[in-house]
Amino acid sequence: MTIDISTCMQDFVAKRRLFQSEAQFQFELAWHIQEMYPNYKVYLEVLTATRKDIAVKNNTADSKKRAYTDIIVFDSDGNYIAIELKYKTALGNYENDSINLLHHGATDFGRFDFLYDIWRIEQLKQNNIQQYNFKFDSTKFAGGYAIFLTNEKKYWEDSKEEKKECLYRDFCISEKDCIEEGIPLKWNKKPKKPKCCVNGTFRDTELKFNQKYDFKWEPYYNDGVNPEFRYLIEEIKIK
């Protein structure tokens, strides 16, 4: 089972397709995959795992015990491909003001969340995290993709070396960076600053990966006026 996710994204590039929100990006990508692969079944927001180690506290986002995957593609034998998306924007008014984008900011969290998506897809194959109950047979995992679409240049420009004193140092995803297999990533908490914005949240964790990831940002959209868009695709392979 395979899908050509690069062609899907290049089709959007050719159409100069922009999105008002991540939800719209998610829906249109799923629709396009279904058009390209009519014999597959494509689902959105699929419950793939439940967390057992996080207590419910006031129904906040950090306390959710259910883990959903943005897009799951199934073949007729039940094999599946998992896809996670991130769509982070800076201010911009595109296509004659028909697309008005907000400034999301928090690029430290954005970096972590993208890598966390990759980590969660890896776990669909490994099923070796005791804190999770997985909903699908790991032997049916056929691969995965994490896609990041953004017009915030900090994501592709700021490198680990340039930000070595920053809290998010380990989570940089510029083309100068890479993620090594088996080496844990963690927040750069300094002893003199015991309080940290990630303390007590789901982000307060180390991430360790089962393969190496390099980051190749591709051009997506540039009107010469607003911040340009680029995108990143990371493939999670079967081992």
Side-chain angles (χ1 to χ4, degrees):
M1 179 189 186
T2 61
I3 58 174
D4 188 348
I5 202 69
S6 293
T7 294
C8 291
M9 291 300 295
Q10 282 298 313
D11 289 344
F12 286 157
V13 171
K15 295 175 182 177
R16 295 176 62 82
R17 189 71 185 95
L18 293 182
F19 310 99
Q20 188 63 54
S21 66
E22 184 172 291
Q24 184 185 9
F25 177 32
Q26 179 191 47
F27 174 81
E28 294 200 25
L29 180 61
W31 185 275
H32 191 39
I33 293 171
Q34 187 68 83
E35 289 181 324
M36 290 180 64
Y37 301 95
N39 293 326
Y40 290 167
K41 293 182 179 180
V42 183
Y43 296 95
L44 301 176
E45 293 296 329
V46 179
L47 178 64
T48 48
T50 55
R51 295 199 297 264
K52 298 184 292 184
D53 62 327
I54 298 180
V56 176
K57 297 179 182 179
N58 301 322
N59 293 320
T60 62
D62 290 340
S63 68
K64 290 181 179 178
K65 300 179 72 174
R66 296 178 177 86
Y68 293 85
T69 299
D70 288 333
I71 301 172
I72 297 283
V73 184
F74 291 96
D75 69 8
S76 58
D77 295 320
N79 301 306
Y80 68 94
I81 291 172
I83 303 171
E84 289 283 4
L85 308 176
K86 283 289 175 283
Y87 185 60
K88 300 293 186 180
T89 61
L91 285 174
N93 298 312
Y94 298 81
E95 301 291 338
N96 297 318
D97 280 345
S98 63
I99 301 292
N100 299 297
L101 300 177
L102 300 176
H103 178 64
H104 288 152
T107 57
D108 50 354
F109 288 173
R111 292 173 175 88
F112 175 89
D113 291 351
F114 177 67
L115 295 177
Y116 187 71
D117 281 348
I118 295 174
W119 178 81
R120 287 202 303 114
I121 293 176
E122 281 194 356
Q123 301 316 309
L124 295 178
K125 173 59 180 175
Q126 301 298 321
N127 281 199
N128 62 356
I129 304 298
Q130 293 183 353
Q131 296 91 339
Y132 280 73
N133 290 317
F134 291 91
K135 301 298 182 180
F136 294 110
D137 183 351
S138 63
T139 65
K140 296 290 187 178
F141 178 80
Y145 297 95
I147 305 172
F148 203 143
L149 176 59
T150 184
N151 66 342
E152 176 54 82
K153 64 182 181 180
K154 290 181 180 179
Y155 286 111
W156 65 77
E157 286 189 351
D158 292 350
S159 70
K160 184 181 299 184
E161 180 61 29
E162 294 164 330
K163 300 295 179 180
K164 58 185 177 181
E165 299 301 321
C166 292
L167 178 71
Y168 60 83
R169 174 189 62 192
D170 279 5
F171 306 113
C172 286
I173 54 175
S174 78
E175 290 196 352
K176 296 179 182 178
D177 299 304
C178 71
I179 301 301
E180 297 290 349
E181 178 181 351
I183 298 179
L185 309 182
K186 57 186 177 181
W187 297 96
N188 183 28
K189 299 179 182 181
K190 298 181 180 179
K192 293 183 180 180
K193 296 181 179 180
K195 292 184 178 180
C196 172
C197 56
V198 300
N199 287 347
T201 75
F202 78 92
R203 295 186 177 97
D204 192 9
T205 186
E206 293 184 353
L207 300 180
K208 185 185 296 186
F209 298 90
N210 297 311
Q211 68 182 69
K212 180 179 179 180
Y213 296 96
D214 294 301
F215 304 109
K216 176 62 177 176
W217 289 89
E218 301 287 351
Y220 185 85
Y221 181 103
N222 191 351
D223 62 8
V225 178
N226 292 283
E228 70 167 310
F229 272 89
R230 295 188 187 184
Y231 71 94
L232 176 66
I233 298 175
E234 294 298 325
E235 181 180 3
I236 296 85
K237 301 177 182 178
I238 302 173
K239 283 196 172 184

